[in-house]
Every structure is written in structure tokens, then in C-alpha cells.
């Protein structure tokens, strides 16, 4: 699943490779996919993009946005997608949810796994979208607003049940951080995913904030997780501390077997000794 570090990596690569390229073809999926999020007909995708030049790419959380012409953006990400740049037709996957061809003979394919976005928005539509970039916290230059973070933590009283996983992913939520980076963030902060936010002391809140910033910044610098791929088909360089591969294996800090639970719609991995 594409999260913030992967989106940042892919956006940078798209700018490097495609800024100034001219679109000569655009196919809105040759294979039906129930959870590929489109917002125009196949004919409209062609009409809106062919003949236009690609501009720079950026990202909002896990959503990758690429300028098309003067007032159009191609929005990708927000789920499980493989976004690949092809030097020619030979390596294009047989099934894809979006295929864009350029005047230099290259192609960009998007293959959705699970769910993912391949939408075209005007600048106004993108700014007013109901959920892209709407979470309270966003990373800027590797950090999030500390004062705002502390303010939201302080709103939770000691008797409230809202957990750290709920706080980071759902409400208020860290834009672009989901279950993938939650595990390592909480491991680095030495906090349990079910721990109620309102029970953290001052030092634990500080540790959580620092763990968020350091974990995400490190992953961005390494090009995302080693289980995700960039536009060249290369895996990222960030090795996860905790994920499905670590379940029942020794904790890298204390040697206690890593435990797995299902919680709030996904699996959580943690050390029962380090993250009580």
C-alpha cells in the first residue's frame, strides 16, 4: 500500500522523468476493477489528456498529483497501486487500470491491487475533494507541527478509550500514515497500539512525536519500504522493523517473540515487553 514515503518517492521520480513530456495516448484501464477509482469515462480521459504536456508531480499524504496541461491533475495512490514507467511497449502488464503513452515512446502504467485512485481533477476539484489531504496533521520537511500535535493529544482525557492506533490513523489522523508505518512508529516510541491516548505522560507524548517524525523521515530518505516499488520497479530501501514477516520472531531489542493481533480493521504487530 502506498503511504507518504512511497508517494513522496514516486512524485519525485515522475517529475524527474516526465516533466515536459507530451501525452499521445491514454487508456482508462483494459481490465475492469471494482475498486479502481475513476471519475470520467474512457473517452473523456482521452479527450482531457491527449496532446497535453505533463508538468511537475507532488503529493498530499499518500495521494500523488501530476500536472496535466494548465488546470488538470492526475491523482494516483491512496491505496495499493504499482505505478511503473516503461521504456517501450514490451514490459507493459497485460492487465492495467491506466496506461499513458508519451511522445518519446515511453509509457506509464498503473495497476491497482485492492483499491487505488486514477482520477483527473481540476485544481479546484482537487482542493475541495472530500478526503484527499483532509486529515489534521501533514508532514512538512520531515516534521509535523509539534504545537498542533500536542494540542490534539491534550484533548483526550484519562478515562477516554481512544487508542494510539485510532489517533494516528483515524482521528485526527496523520495524513499519509496508515497501518504500514504505524507498527514501526509505535515500536520506536515503545508504546502499545491499544494504549489510550489520554493515559500518556509528558515524556511518552514527546517520544511519540519524535518517533513519528524520525520513522517517516527515515523512510522518505530511503525511498519507502522494501516491500513497495518505485516507478522503475525497484523496491524501497526502508526495512520494516515490524510487519507480517516479524510475527513470532524475536524482538530486535529484547528478544521477546513479536505478537500479532487484529485491531481496528487490520493487523497490529508489537513486542509485549517493550510496548506494554
Amino acid at each position: 500500500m502506498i503511504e507518504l514515503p512511497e508517494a513522496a518517492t514516486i512524485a519525485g521520480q515522475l517529475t524527474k522523468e516526465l516533466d515536459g513530456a507530451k501525452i499521445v495516448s491514454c487508456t482508462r484501464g483494459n481490465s475492469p476493477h471494482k475498486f479502481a477509482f475513476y471519475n470520467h469515462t474512457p473517452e473523456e480521459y482521452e479527450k482531457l489528456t491527449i496532446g497535453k504536456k505533463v508538468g511537475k508531480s507532488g503529493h498530499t499524504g499518500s495521494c500523488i498529483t501530476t500536472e496535466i496541461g494548465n488546470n488538470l491533475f492526475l491523482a494516483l495512490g491512496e491505496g495499493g497501486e504499482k505505478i511503473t514507467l516503461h521504456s517501450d511497449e514490451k514490459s507493459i502488464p497485460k492487465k492495467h487500470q491506466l496506461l499513458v503513452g508519451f511522445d518519446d515512446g515511453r509509457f506509464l502504467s498503473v495497476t491497482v491491487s485492492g483499491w487505488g485512485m486514477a482520477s483527473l481533477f481540476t485544481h479546484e476539484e482537487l482542493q475541495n475533494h472530500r478526503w484527499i489531504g483532509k486529515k489534521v496533521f501533514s508532514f512538512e520537511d520531515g516534521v509535523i507541527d509539534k504545537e498542533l500535535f500536542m494540542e490534539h493529544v491534550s484533548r483526550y482525557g484519562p478515562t477516554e478509550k481512544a487508542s494510539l492506533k485510532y489517533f494516528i490513523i483515524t482521528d485526527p489522523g496523520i495524513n499519509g500514515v496508515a497501518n504500514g508505518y504505524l507498527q514501526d512508529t509505535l515500536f520506536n516510541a515503545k508504546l502499545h497500539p491499544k494504549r489510550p491516548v489520554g493515559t500518556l505522560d509528558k515524556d511518552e507524548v514527546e517520544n511519540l512525536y519524535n518517533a513519528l517524525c524520525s520513522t517517516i523521515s527515515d523512510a522518505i530518505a530511503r525511498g519507502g519500504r522494501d516491500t513497495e516499488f518505485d516507478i522503475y520497479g525497484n523496491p524501497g530501501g526502508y526495512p520494516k522493523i515490524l510487519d507480517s514477516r516479524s510475527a513470532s520472531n524475536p524482538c530486535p531489542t529484547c528478544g521477546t517473540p513479536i505478537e500479532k493481533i487484529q485491531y481496528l480493521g487490520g493487523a497490529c504487530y508489537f513486542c509485549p515487553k517493550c510496548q506494554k
Side-chain angles (χ1 to χ4, degrees), residues 177-235:
V177 178
N179 214 46
Y181 286 101
L182 171 79
Q183 322 297 334
D184 286 10
T185 293
L186 294 181
F187 179 81
N188 289 331
K190 304 306 177 189
L191 295 168
H192 193 284
K194 284 188 173 183
R195 177 79 177 271
V197 180
T199 65
L200 300 184
D201 62 31
K202 184 178 179 181
D203 289 340
E204 289 173 323
V205 174
E206 187 78 18
N207 288 342
L208 177 60
Y209 174 81
N210 290 334
L212 271 167
C213 293
S214 62
T215 301
I216 300 304
S217 296
D218 186 26
I220 291 173
R222 294 170 182 246
R225 289 163 288 173
D226 59 7
T227 54
E228 300 293 327
F229 297 88
D230 64 15
I231 68 171
Y232 308 112
N234 299 320

Side-chain angles (χ1 to χ4, degrees), residues 35-205:
F35 297 109
F37 303 138
Y38 303 116
N39 61 343
H40 294 283
T41 66
E43 294 75 19
E44 287 172 329
Y45 270 72
E46 293 182 353
K47 183 178 179 180
L48 289 168
T49 61
I50 291 178
K52 303 286 181 63
K53 284 193 174 182
V54 176
K56 299 185 183 303
S57 297
H59 73 96
T60 302
S62 58
C63 180
I64 304 155
T65 55
T66 299
E67 299 172 353
I68 305 292
N70 294 325
N71 189 36
L72 195 67
F73 291 86
L74 172 62
L76 303 174
E78 293 291 339
E81 293 187 353
K82 190 172 183 181
I83 302 168
T84 309
L85 183 66
H86 308 271
S87 58
D88 52 42
E89 296 182 7
K90 295 179 182 178
S91 60
I92 294 173
K94 292 182 179 180
K95 294 183 179 181
H96 48 74
Q97 278 61 62
L98 186 71
L99 182 66
V100 183
F102 304 99
D103 57 351
D104 60 2
R106 295 184 297 170
F107 294 84
L108 185 75
S109 71
V110 179
T111 304
V112 174
S113 175
W115 69 87
M117 177 176 286
S119 300
L120 292 170
F121 297 113
T122 64
H123 177 76
E124 183 179 6
E125 289 171 337
L126 192 63
Q127 293 298 310
N128 295 322
H129 196 276
R130 67 185 184 277
W131 47 263
I132 292 176
K134 297 302 182 184
K135 291 186 177 180
V136 171
F137 302 118
S138 295
F139 277 80
E140 298 290 343
D141 298 323
V143 298
I144 58 177
D145 187 315
K146 188 172 184 178
E147 183 177 345
L148 183 62
F149 182 84
M150 298 300 182
E151 177 187 332
H152 277 272
V153 171
S154 68
R155 293 179 179 179
Y156 289 87
T159 61
E160 294 186 57
K161 295 182 179 180
S163 67
L164 288 173
K165 177 175 180 177
Y166 181 80
F167 178 84
I168 292 172
I169 293 180
T170 306
D171 187 15
I174 310 296
N175 195 14
V177 178
N179 214 46
Y181 286 101
L182 171 79
Q183 322 297 334
D184 286 10
T185 293
L186 294 181
F187 179 81
N188 289 331
K190 304 306 177 189
L191 295 168
H192 193 284
K194 284 188 173 183
R195 177 79 177 271
V197 180
T199 65
L200 300 184
D201 62 31
K202 184 178 179 181
D203 289 340
E204 289 173 323
V205 174

